Amino acid sequence: MSMPTPEERAGEAFTEAAAEAVQTSTMAFRLMMAIADAVRRQQQQKEAGREEELPPVEKAVPEATEYAKKYLPPDIGTALMDGADWPMLAQQLMALGGAGVDLEALMPRVAEITVTVRDAVAEHARKALEDEGAGRWEAMLREAVPAGPVREAILSSPAWPDIATKMASLDEKGVDVRGVLAAAHKEGLGVEQAVASSLGAAAPSTSRDALLAYGPLTTGLDVPKNLTLKDRARALVQLGVRDADARNVRMVREAMPGRERDADLMVSDRHWPLISLRMAEMESRGEPVAEHLARLMQDTSWEKGTGTLGTRLVRAAADALTRPVGDAAGASRPVVSSAAAKATSPSVGPTKGVSVTKGGPRPAEPGVAAHRDSGPAPSKGRTR
């Protein structure tokens, strides 16, 4: 017997999720009937001093079945009537009618509530299943494809879930998905350049945000040339930390107990996405991010200085995250040459790059971003 394909497994999972949504909606119906019956009983006891008995099952079931078929969607109605407690529910429903409740007005409202519950549960399950399936492939995509327009286009595309499904199918058949992604990235760059050329667009230039961020904040990071820090949501997508950012924010707040307001100022700073990216990359390498962040409370020199408190904290966090655990404050603060900064850009394409060394800029290995290395500042010239 052959194993089910990823598409078949996904179909089975969605079918199970839909069934669960219907069952949840029947629970909502039961809840409403129980509440309505309790109110009926209390009101009859209050007004007449006694509760009316429930109508006979043999009379209530056929009548309630007609109401269920008339007002409830087939899936919800069938699930209810197949349940072992349907006779009791039928009695409760018809007892409400006997007590003066207009069932022709009540049932449409009850039906609307059950449908809302069903659809909400189904949508939640659908998103959870898609996230679970796509999460693995998104991680692989980020590892196999350098940050830049191609990766951004894939992840932001409405077709991304379908792309992830195709990746899963290829993997199931023994295909090297990473190799395919690497090849697709090269082709994607060609498509991007061809389209830009046909539209008369200029070659991508380094954005002002990327240029201004160059230095200690970006050392060792793969920063896209078109980085747009003024748009927080876009920056997080460009840097590939949209999903990890909430966790990173929480980690910073936890690392600064009693100073959460200060932590919030750092997180609201426009350069925060770069700190979030560094934290995410450190976690992916298994580095103790929390231990690094603890330095923010051990050395509070960021409380004074130039710039806003949020900006000072961003700089302090970058320093705390880049120094090895155990190093004293300031022992290995990265220093960047302004001459080197002018000679290089914050990010490069996947096949070329520049590393900064003591002797000035030199060609780097293929696939290495401009910020991968930094060395001591030259003896002349100012530093950033």
Side-chain angles (χ1 to χ4, degrees):
M1 182 178 179
S2 61
M3 293 183 63
T5 65
E7 292 84 351
E8 290 171 337
R9 290 199 296 272
E12 292 173 1
F14 279 114
T15 299
E16 293 175 1
E20 181 181 354
V22 171
Q23 289 301 321
T24 304
S25 69
T26 64
M27 291 171 59
F29 183 94
R30 292 182 176 94
L31 174 62
M32 287 182 287
M33 285 298 101
I35 293 173
D37 189 61
V39 173
R40 174 189 66 81
R41 290 175 181 274
Q42 183 188 53
Q43 189 65 17
Q44 287 178 338
Q45 184 68 33
K46 179 180 177 181
E47 297 296 332
R50 64 183 180 83
E51 301 172 9
E52 294 291 338
E53 295 293 331
L54 292 174
V57 172
E58 59 273 13
K59 180 176 185 298
V61 168
E63 294 179 357
T65 298
E66 291 300 316
Y67 279 106
K69 289 181 178 180
K70 181 178 180 180
Y71 291 106
L72 295 176
D75 53 351
I76 297 176
T78 300
L80 273 171
M81 291 183 286
D82 286 346
D85 62 347
W86 172 242
M88 183 189 70
L89 291 173
Q91 287 179 294
Q92 291 177 340
L93 180 62
M94 299 318 299
L96 290 173
V101 176
D102 183 358
L103 298 184
E104 295 289 343
L106 174 67
M107 284 299 291
R109 296 196 296 269
V110 171
E112 182 179 358
I113 294 172
T114 59
V115 168
T116 300
V117 170
R118 179 198 63 188
D119 294 348
V121 173
E123 178 64 13
H124 177 76
R126 183 188 67 78
K127 288 183 178 179
L129 288 168
E130 287 184 352
D131 291 345
E132 180 182 355
R136 173 191 173 193
W137 304 111
E138 180 174 346
M140 179 181 289
L141 181 71
R142 294 190 187 285
E143 293 172 2
V145 177
V150 175
R151 191 172 79 181
E152 183 182 346
I154 296 171
L155 291 175
S156 61
S157 170
W160 164 241
D162 183 56
I163 293 173
T165 300
K166 287 181 171 59
M167 291 167 65
S169 181
L170 291 173
D171 181 70
E172 184 77 13
K173 293 177 173 59
V175 176
D176 178 11
V177 178
R178 291 177 184 272
V180 172
L181 288 174
H185 173 255
K186 294 179 182 178
E187 294 301 322
L189 287 177
V191 170
E192 179 209 11
Q193 294 166 3
V195 172
S197 177
S198 69
L199 295 175
S205 59
T206 303
S207 68
R208 176 177 174 80
D209 281 343
L211 284 172
L212 294 178
Y214 184 80
L217 289 183
T218 57
T219 299
L221 299 180
D222 187 6
V223 181
K225 296 178 70 174
N226 62 339
L227 180 64
T228 308
L229 291 173
K230 64 181 180 180
D231 185 338
R232 170 65 62 89
R234 176 176 169 80
L236 292 174
V237 171
Q238 287 180 302
L239 296 171
V241 291
R242 177 186 56 189
D243 297 333
D245 190 61
R247 169 176 166 76
N248 293 337
V249 170
R250 185 170 64 253
M251 288 179 67
V252 167
R253 288 175 59 85
E254 291 172 352
M256 301 178 66
R259 307 295 295 269
E260 287 82 1
R261 292 185 62 184
D262 294 337
D264 291 342
L265 289 175
M266 172 170 61
V267 170
S268 63
D269 187 86
R270 66 182 292 151
H271 290 96
W272 160 254
L274 296 170
I275 300 299
S276 189
L277 171 61
R278 190 176 298 282
M279 291 171 63
E281 292 195 351
M282 291 175 68
E283 277 212 300
S284 69
R285 296 191 296 266
E287 298 179 28
V289 177
E291 290 185 36
H292 285 268
L293 290 175
R295 290 169 167 159
L296 294 174
M297 295 299 289
Q298 297 165 2
D299 175 10
T300 58
S301 57
W302 45 264
E303 292 178 331
K304 298 179 180 179
T306 60
T308 66
L309 179 57
T311 299
R312 297 199 299 270
L313 268 167
V314 163
R315 292 196 295 261
D319 176 63
L321 293 167
T322 52
R323 282 189 289 114
V325 173
D327 277 13
S332 60
R333 294 180 187 272
V335 180
V336 180
S337 163
S338 59
K342 294 178 180 178
T344 59
S345 66
S347 64
V348 295
T351 58
K352 63 180 180 178
V354 177
S355 292
V356 180
T357 63
K358 186 173 182 178
R362 63 173 173 79
E365 293 298 324
V368 180
H371 297 187
R372 291 300 183 197
D373 299 312
S374 64
S379 58
K380 295 182 180 180
R382 60 185 178 86
T383 60
R384 289 184 185 235

